[in-house]
Amino acid sequence: MFFKAFLFLFISSIYSESKVKLEQVDLEQFPLVQLNVTENKLKPIQGENISIQETRDGITKNIHSFAILKKNQLRPIKLFLSIQATDDTKKLEYIKQMSVLLIQSLSKDDRVGIQVFGNDTYFLSSNLNKQEAISKLETISSAKGNRIISSLNFLLSQTNENDLPNLILVFGVDTPTQDDEKISTLVEKSRKQNQPIHLYSVYDEKFLAIAEYTGGEYYPFDKNKSVTEIQSKLYDFRKSLPVLEYKSSFSESANLFKKTKIDLSLKIGKSEIKSNYEISGYHFIKSKFSNIEFFYTFMFVVLFICLVILYIVSEQIRKRKRNEELKLREEELLKNDLYYHENLLNDDEDFSSFENYSSKKEELIEEQDFNNTLYNYNPISEKKTNDSTASHIAVDVLNNSEKYDKGVLIIKEGPNPGRQFTINKDEVTIGNSASNDLVLLDNSVSPMHAKIKKVKNVFVIFDTVSKVGVVLNGTKLLRPKPLYDFDEIKLGKVTLLFRGK
């Protein structure tokens, strides 16, 4: 017995650690680094000697200035309950009641994991809310054996250090099974994850060793105060941890495009904790903006870019207005064009009947003369003859134009789209009057809107003094022009497609 006690004290001196534990390195406020530290209840970190070192690429820097922050609030946690499924019905019911009592003291943000073990059967539910956990407890049935070490090895392999802070509490009401695994494997895994294991169990040296070696607490099953102490432990664990806050010594050398690993060495009293963290481009940007000189420089550059963009946009607006003015001026010049002007004057005339309109048309046709002058008209002779269609088409223009044996007009937009009209005469007229060769029943089309003449196999389109004019391929027709295959002719709201064959 003396040898066992001596061995227990010897192993405790090797494996036991201070209750100080680094739970998390928080970089949310980088370049400020916040270390969430679990402290010994009997020895708060305020009374301990604290030193912090950071190392990068073999360069070590001491942190001389830091602050200890404490918050009076509770944090969300994950409570892992590892329950032995004993074949003692009364003990099993008592453990269930204890588990329900602990779960009910949690908040809605807390999570629960439940593991049930015996000799060889156990299951794990690792992410339950309060109601789900209480329902899960009802399904626990009795079993034999207590292979606690193998079950805890499995439990530690399922916990995730990126989850909420974990508190592991084991209920063991029977002595451990003799053929269980070695305790050294469990202790190594617990120390590697920095995860203490707390036990509420019957007295056994193996239970004591698990709690002691992993930095946990042991609560005797037959002690009346154990339940109160467990509840107090759970409340203390849920309280926000003390925070060591300092400015990273390598914040200015962070890399925008490459992650940088910083090794961390923390000493609190006799405890020494090794850890590390990584800073990325995100932390680089936060670090730069925390520098007031960089911030003002950056804002100046942004302001300058905004001014440049504003200048470019204003220049584009000014250019567009200038183009609109030029377009209006061009329209004014077109109004001074004789052909356009005569069309406009004729549009103002009131053709009360188609006969009137037809006689006017015949007069215009008789005065047209195809000679050797390219789009030539003489304003002097125009005044003398009052020729409203003094435009001419030269022979060389006709010779250089596309020649077709047959022409077809297809209604692309307007009444009866898709309808085809074959130009089978040397001259066809187009309008909304029934006397035209091609009748377009649309109010936007004049009674006789346009005509197409076939001259030496060249199809030439004329505007026959329509009200809204003729638009050929997007350009208003000011003089007669030859037609080419796939030309678009717009008469009011009607669009015709010319096909030459």
Side-chain angles (χ1 to χ4, degrees), residues 76-235:
I77 67 162
K78 181 181 287 186
L79 174 63
F80 274 103
L81 297 177
S82 183
I83 300 172
Q84 180 203 345
T86 179
D87 56 356
D88 188 325
T89 307
K90 290 184 178 180
K91 289 181 179 179
L92 186 59
E93 286 302 316
Y94 176 73
I95 291 174
K96 287 182 181 181
Q97 292 174 9
M98 271 289 300
S99 300
V100 171
L101 186 66
L102 292 175
I103 291 172
Q104 287 177 338
S105 67
L106 300 176
S107 71
K108 64 178 182 179
D109 296 325
D110 296 326
R111 310 300 290 176
V112 181
I114 297 178
Q115 179 197 38
V116 179
F117 64 92
N119 267 336
D120 53 4
T121 303
Y122 48 82
F123 66 88
L124 179 69
S125 298
S126 60
N127 196 27
L128 305 171
N129 59 35
K130 292 171 61 174
Q131 295 303 322
E132 292 171 340
I134 292 174
S135 299
K136 182 70 73 174
L137 289 172
E138 298 298 325
T139 64
I140 298 177
S141 57
S142 61
K144 291 184 179 181
N146 182 2
R147 298 194 65 194
I148 184 172
I149 296 177
S150 61
S151 67
L152 287 176
N153 275 325
F154 174 77
L155 178 60
L156 289 176
S157 67
Q158 300 301 308
T159 57
N160 189 340
E161 60 182 8
N162 296 321
D163 285 339
L164 298 174
N166 302 320
L167 187 142
I168 297 178
L169 178 62
V170 181
F171 292 100
V173 294
D174 295 328
T175 55
T177 304
Q178 294 299 321
D179 59 348
D180 203 359
E181 298 176 4
K182 293 181 180 180
I183 193 174
S184 58
T185 306
L186 174 64
V187 172
E188 182 180 356
K189 187 176 291 187
S190 170
R191 287 165 61 86
K192 186 176 181 179
Q193 297 184 14
N194 205 6
Q195 179 62 66
I197 297 174
H198 309 282
L199 292 98
Y200 177 53
S201 62
V202 297
Y203 177 82
D204 186 270
E205 289 182 359
K206 187 174 287 188
F207 289 158
L208 291 173
I210 291 173
E212 184 67 28
Y213 300 165
T214 63
E217 302 284 350
Y218 168 73
Y219 303 97
F221 189 72
D222 54 357
K223 185 179 177 182
N224 294 332
K225 292 184 178 181
S226 290
V227 176
T228 305
E229 290 175 354
I230 292 174
Q231 290 175 322
S232 176
K233 176 67 179 179
L234 181 59
Y235 177 77

Side-chain angles (χ1 to χ4, degrees), residues 388-404:
S388 62
T389 56
S391 302
H392 306 283
I393 298 181
V395 174
D396 59 340
V397 172
L398 295 175
N399 292 335
N400 292 331
S401 300
E402 292 286 343
K403 295 177 174 55
Y404 307 103

Side-chain angles (χ1 to χ4, degrees), residues 339 364-377 387 389-399 401 426-427 451-463 479-482:
Y339 185 78
L364 294 174
I365 293 172
E366 290 172 359
E367 293 178 352
Q368 290 179 351
D369 177 35
F370 292 95
N371 54 36
N372 293 331
T373 306
L374 174 61
Y375 295 124
N376 176 47
Y377 68 71
D387 182 7
T389 56
S391 302
H392 306 283
I393 298 181
V395 174
D396 59 340
V397 172
L398 295 175
N399 292 335
S401 300
D426 289 340
E427 179 178 321
K451 70 176 180 180
I452 298 176
K453 292 188 67 173
K454 184 178 180 182
V455 183
K456 297 182 180 180
N457 283 355
V458 175
F459 291 85
V460 183
I461 185 167
F462 296 78
D463 181 354
R479 297 177 179 81
K481 286 191 176 181

Side-chain angles (χ1 to χ4, degrees), residues 257-457:
F257 304 103
K258 181 182 177 182
K259 287 186 176 181
T260 304
K261 182 180 178 182
I262 308 296
D263 293 318
L264 182 67
S265 176
L266 173 64
K267 290 184 180 180
I268 302 178
K270 295 181 179 180
S271 301
E272 184 173 354
I273 304 170
K274 301 288 185 181
S275 186
N276 62 73
Y277 64 89
E278 284 188 340
I279 51 179
S280 60
Y282 168 74
H283 301 106
F284 167 82
I285 294 172
K286 291 190 72 174
S287 173
K288 291 300 180 184
F289 273 92
S290 67
N291 186 326
I292 194 66
E293 293 180 1
F294 176 83
F295 176 78
Y296 281 125
T297 303
F298 179 81
M299 293 308 296
F300 174 78
V301 172
V302 170
L303 180 60
F304 176 76
I305 293 174
C306 290
L307 290 175
V308 171
I309 294 174
L310 184 62
Y311 173 76
I312 293 173
V313 171
S314 63
E315 282 295 306
Q316 291 294 329
I317 294 173
R318 189 184 65 81
K319 186 177 180 181
R320 187 167 64 248
K321 287 183 178 179
R322 175 65 176 167
N323 290 337
E324 290 174 357
E325 291 175 0
L326 291 175
K327 187 176 180 181
L328 290 174
R329 190 175 299 176
E330 183 180 354
E331 290 178 357
E332 289 295 326
L333 292 173
L334 288 176
K335 289 181 181 180
N336 295 325
D337 183 273
L338 182 59
Y339 185 78
Y340 179 86
H341 183 63
E342 289 175 348
N343 279 346
L344 187 62
L345 290 176
N346 287 319
D347 287 345
D348 293 336
E349 294 179 14
D350 182 17
F351 297 105
S352 57
S353 65
F354 173 73
E355 289 75 18
N356 242 350
Y357 194 93
S358 180
S359 64
K360 189 73 174 179
K361 178 196 74 166
E362 294 297 327
E363 179 184 346
L364 294 174
I365 293 172
E366 290 172 359
E367 293 178 352
Q368 290 179 351
D369 177 35
F370 292 95
N371 54 36
N372 293 331
T373 306
L374 174 61
Y375 295 124
N376 176 47
Y377 68 71
N378 190 337
I380 299 177
S381 63
E382 183 179 20
K383 291 180 182 178
K384 293 179 180 179
T385 60
N386 194 25
D387 182 7
S388 62
T389 56
S391 302
H392 306 283
I393 298 181
V395 174
D396 59 340
V397 172
L398 295 175
N399 292 335
N400 292 331
S401 300
E402 292 286 343
K403 295 177 174 55
Y404 307 103
D405 293 330
K406 186 173 66 172
V408 177
L409 294 174
I410 303 171
I411 299 178
K412 187 176 180 182
E413 294 179 7
N416 302 320
R419 174 188 169 193
Q420 296 187 12
F421 174 80
T422 302
I423 304 173
N424 49 18
K425 299 194 304 182
D426 289 340
E427 179 178 321
V428 294
T429 59
I430 307 169
N432 67 9
S433 173
S435 61
N436 289 287
D437 298 303
L438 174 57
V439 180
L440 301 175
L441 299 177
D442 191 286
N443 293 332
S444 66
V445 179
S446 299
M448 181 182 290
H449 201 117
K451 70 176 180 180
I452 298 176
K453 292 188 67 173
K454 184 178 180 182
V455 183
K456 297 182 180 180
N457 283 355

